[in-house]
């Protein structure tokens, strides 16, 4: 792999942390970004379809950081940047319209290469019902080597990560901020455990604070890494169902847990079931589905 290209891409991503489809126009005629430092702001504005003022700022910032030793700095912070050309970069993410140009990793990077990963998602307002459901669903999957992927949010996400860890399994947390801004604070302890023993993933440079539009973007990575998605509890209008939209766009399997018909948090899974998601209430059903798909 071209270390000089990696340096140039990390510098560009530091000042312009956008997905690959937004950076691709720069690489159409300059695949290794060799001439980026020489391109005029007018050229950048036209090529990237951004205002001239933003192109001027981008050029200044890129030149300022072009020689910053990002690999060394991230190494000291125990962060591994994984560019889209890296052999470990998950091939499934290349199927997205907007693949991350860089993934920042903390923890066991080999988990990205696990052959069977499944997302478990649900409401931030998840109730004890979600906890019970997760404890019923996940152990059979974990026993078969499935890695649990979720978003480290309050509620169902945190329940899924904890269940995986407590059961001796593996989990990947995809977050919507840089590693210097952990969010939500209530999950700080869990976040530290995951980066030490599991895998923490972000597409944002470490300085990036949590912003509301980061989380729908994060959801496409949760879906993209996983062969299927299990929904525990969710309202009909929720971020949880935005993950499902990404999953459906890419042909992923959708599993939904039936719930109390009087609970608003059951409305999302029930809607998904009505639209064709597979209803599940134990992990063996998910395993059986994959055995059928393989046979």
């Amino acid at each position: 792999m071209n270390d000089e290209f990696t340096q140039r891409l990390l510098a560009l991503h530091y000042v312009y942390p956008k997905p690959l489809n937004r950076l691709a126009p720069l690489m159409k005629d300059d695949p290794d970004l060799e001439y980026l430092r020489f391109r005029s702001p007018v050229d950048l504005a036209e090529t990237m379809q951004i205002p001239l003022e933003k192109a001027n700022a981008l050029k200044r910032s890129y030149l300022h950081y072009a020689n910053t030793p990002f690999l060394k700095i991230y190494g000291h912070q125990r962060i591994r940047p994984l560019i889209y050309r890296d052999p470990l970069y998950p091939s499934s993410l290349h199927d997205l319209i907007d693949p991350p140009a860089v993934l920042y990793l903390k923890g066991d990077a080999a988990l990205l290469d696990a052959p069977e990963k499944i997302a478990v998602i649900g409401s931030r307002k998840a109730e004890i019902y979600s906890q019970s459901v997760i404890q019923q669903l996940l152990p059979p999957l974990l026993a078969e080597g499935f890695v649990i992927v979720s978003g480290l949010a309050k509620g169902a996400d945190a329940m899924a990560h904890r269940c995986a860890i407590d059961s001796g399994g593996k989990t990947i947390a995809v977050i919507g901020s840089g590693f210097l801004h952990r969010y939500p604070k209530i999950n700080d302890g869990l976040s530290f455990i995951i980066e030490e023993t599991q895998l923490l993933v972000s597409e944002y440079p470490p300085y990036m604070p949590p912003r509301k539009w980061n989380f729908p973007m994060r959801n496409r990575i949760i879906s993209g890494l996983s062969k299927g998605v299990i929904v525990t509890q969710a309202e009909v209008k929720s971020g949880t169902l935005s993950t499902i939209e990404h999953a459906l766009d890419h042909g992923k399997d959708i599993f939904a847990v039936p719930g109390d018909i009087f609970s608003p948090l059951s409305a999302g899974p029930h809607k998904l079931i009505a639209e064709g998601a597979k209803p599940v209430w134990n992990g063996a059903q998910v395993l059986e589905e994959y055995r059928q798909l393989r046979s």
Side-chain angles (χ1 to χ4, degrees):
M1 194 164 56
N2 186 332
D3 288 342
E4 292 181 355
F5 170 69
T6 298
Q7 167 63 28
R8 289 189 284 264
L9 180 62
L10 291 178
L12 174 60
H13 197 255
Y14 191 81
V15 301
Y16 196 68
K18 302 294 183 182
L20 185 57
N21 63 315
R22 298 285 298 278
L23 304 183
L26 286 175
M27 293 180 272
K28 185 175 180 181
D29 298 317
D30 181 20
D32 290 332
L33 297 173
E34 293 178 82
Y35 305 106
L36 177 56
R37 63 167 59 243
F38 305 112
R39 298 180 77 155
S40 71
V42 172
D43 179 19
L44 291 176
E46 291 177 353
T47 301
M48 302 177 72
Q49 295 294 293
I50 58 176
L52 182 57
E53 183 180 355
K54 184 174 283 190
N56 269 303
L58 172 59
K59 177 71 182 286
R60 284 195 305 270
S61 297
Y62 176 75
L63 291 176
H64 180 77
Y65 287 104
N67 296 316
T68 300
F70 286 102
L71 285 173
K72 184 176 180 180
I73 292 168
Y74 291 148
H76 287 321
Q77 298 171 335
R78 298 169 63 203
I79 296 170
R80 176 175 176 177
L82 191 71
I83 70 168
Y84 71 95
R85 289 184 184 177
D86 193 293
L88 185 61
Y89 185 95
S91 58
S92 60
L93 295 184
H94 285 297
D95 295 333
L96 301 175
I97 295 169
D98 48 2
V102 182
L103 291 175
Y104 299 90
L105 313 178
K106 269 198 164 191
D108 184 2
L111 290 181
L112 285 179
D113 200 35
E116 295 191 303
K117 297 185 282 292
I118 193 158
V120 180
I121 59 174
S123 174
R124 288 174 171 80
K125 299 182 244 178
E127 302 160 336
I128 190 66
Y129 180 71
S130 274
Q131 181 74 52
S132 301
V133 161
I134 284 167
Q135 291 173 345
Q136 172 82 356
L137 285 171
L138 297 200
L141 294 166
L142 292 163
E144 290 291 319
F146 274 80
V147 173
I148 304 304
V149 183
S150 199
L152 198 60
K154 180 183 175 183
D157 289 15
M159 293 173 184
H161 292 306
R162 287 196 180 97
C163 180
I165 294 165
D166 292 346
S167 300
K170 294 296 182 180
T171 190
I172 297 172
V174 185
I175 62 174
S177 59
F179 294 139
L180 297 179
H181 297 273
R182 298 172 187 277
Y183 180 85
K185 288 295 182 184
I186 194 171
N187 286 339
D188 267 3
L190 179 59
S191 176
F192 282 116
I193 291 170
I194 291 172
E195 73 175 52
E196 289 293 328
T197 65
Q198 310 291 326
L199 179 61
L200 202 60
V201 177
S202 175
E203 69 173 315
Y204 299 107
Y207 69 83
M208 180 71 78
R211 294 172 175 158
K212 63 181 180 180
W213 53 83
N214 291 0
F215 295 95
M217 294 294 287
R218 170 208 62 184
N219 292 345
R220 82 196 194 289
I221 301 176
I222 294 173
S223 164
L225 289 175
S226 309
K227 63 194 305 182
V229 181
I230 300 172
V231 184
T232 60
Q233 289 182 299
E235 294 173 302
V236 170
K237 292 184 178 180
S238 68
T240 299
L241 295 198
S242 81
T243 308
I244 297 300
E245 290 173 10
H246 289 297
L248 289 170
D249 285 344
H250 295 94
K252 302 301 175 83
D253 305 308
I254 310 298
F255 305 94
V257 179
D260 179 353
I261 63 171
F262 299 107
S263 170
L265 293 178
S266 298
H270 291 169
K271 181 175 185 290
L272 292 172
I273 291 169
E275 292 173 350
K278 183 174 178 63
V280 293
W281 49 91
N282 65 63
Q285 292 170 294
V286 180
L287 288 174
E288 181 181 355
E289 181 75 9
Y290 286 117
R291 278 196 287 272
Q292 289 175 353
L293 289 172
R294 286 197 296 264
S295 62

